[in-house]
Amino acid sequence: MIRLEQITKRFAPNGPAAIDELTMEMPEGTTTALIGPSGCGKTTTMRMINRLIEPTSGRIILGGEDVTKIDPVELRRRIGYVIQQIGLFPHMTIAENIATVPRLLGWAEARIRNRVDELIHLVGLDPAVIAARYPRQLSGGQRQRIGVARALAADPPVMLMDEPFGAIDPIARGRLQDEFKEILRRVRKTVVIVTHDLDEAIKMGDTVAILKEGRLVQHDTPDAILARPADAFVEAFVGPDRALRRLGLLTVEDVMTPPTGADGLTIAAGTTLRDALAVLLGRDASTLIVVDAEQKPLGAVSRDAIFRSGVPYSAA
């Protein structure tokens, strides 16, 4: 767990507070997305966790320890860090990049080799093909995956991610987000992700923390924030299409009825209601048959069922 206790950061002794008495908790094994307008303090907040920026006052507790009492170099070796620019060492092979922190920690070479192969597999690449290459020989999406693998190398309990998918094209970004969520499901880390993209925050975060001028405005689940904005600022920030955004949190299984046996348009299980509605509207259909990977019917989802799923907004 990460706990921030009345954290304040001033970059000049008498200057304004970039972060103003921020208090929040990030539960163990969950992903917290930090989001807000430019200059709200989200990156500053994240960089104080691994002491790339030192807080002016307050405490940051990580796993029961005050991070200000830990040697910063030792602290950073215990925290995975992924940035938009990826930051791979260009003169090192992919295997050497991933092995950086384990070598600093004194791991045996056999253990390092096994860990490198394991992580390259974990991020969906082939070590026999990738390990001996240099970063310049990889695509942007492949480099981003290797950046994630390197951050996981020493199996840190905490990962910090600063706009990790921001430099990737939209199609690859969506795929990487899905893959990273699956990786997190398997490895269970406490993750803090900074993003300027509300859809990414909603998709990636178990909770979303919205900042404004260095203060925490609302910290809750994506569904709660979309259904019940804390104030006019949050309501404006999430936008007038928040009902549609919420449909991206639900899948067809959440609203489907038993299969009727009738033929019709099909849609894969796991599809979001937002995408299902797009298909219905695009094909001018009223119902879709939900099928599994073997095309076996699991249920049916209708326009009316999708529309009813947005009812909480009428009372929000």
Side-chain angles (χ1 to χ4, degrees), residues 1-2 26-32 157-158 184-185 187-191 206:
M1 182 187 72
I2 303 169
M26 305 169 192
E28 182 178 353
T30 66
T31 297
T32 300
V158 172
L184 290 182
R185 188 187 66 78
V187 300
R188 187 173 169 78
K189 304 291 180 185
T190 304
V191 179
D206 297 301

Side-chain angles (χ1 to χ4, degrees), residues 54-94:
E54 296 287 356
T56 303
S57 62
R59 296 202 311 161
I60 300 174
I61 308 299
L62 193 157
E65 292 184 85
D66 185 340
V67 301
T68 63
K69 311 298 184 186
I70 304 172
D71 176 76
V73 174
E74 178 190 342
L75 174 69
R76 289 169 201 147
R77 290 177 183 173
R78 291 161 47 180
I79 297 176
Y81 191 41
V82 183
I83 58 176
Q84 179 176 332
Q85 294 80 12
I86 305 168
L88 298 179
F89 300 118
H91 61 289
M92 291 184 177
T93 66
I94 298 309

Side-chain angles (χ1 to χ4, degrees), residues 198-229:
L198 181 61
D199 287 328
E200 181 168 89
I202 290 168
K203 181 177 184 177
M204 300 299 295
D206 297 301
T207 63
V208 176
I210 300 178
L211 303 179
K212 177 188 178 185
E213 298 175 352
R215 288 183 171 270
L216 182 65
V217 184
Q218 187 169 0
H219 183 201
D220 213 327
T221 64
D223 187 67
I225 286 175
L226 292 173
R228 296 177 296 280

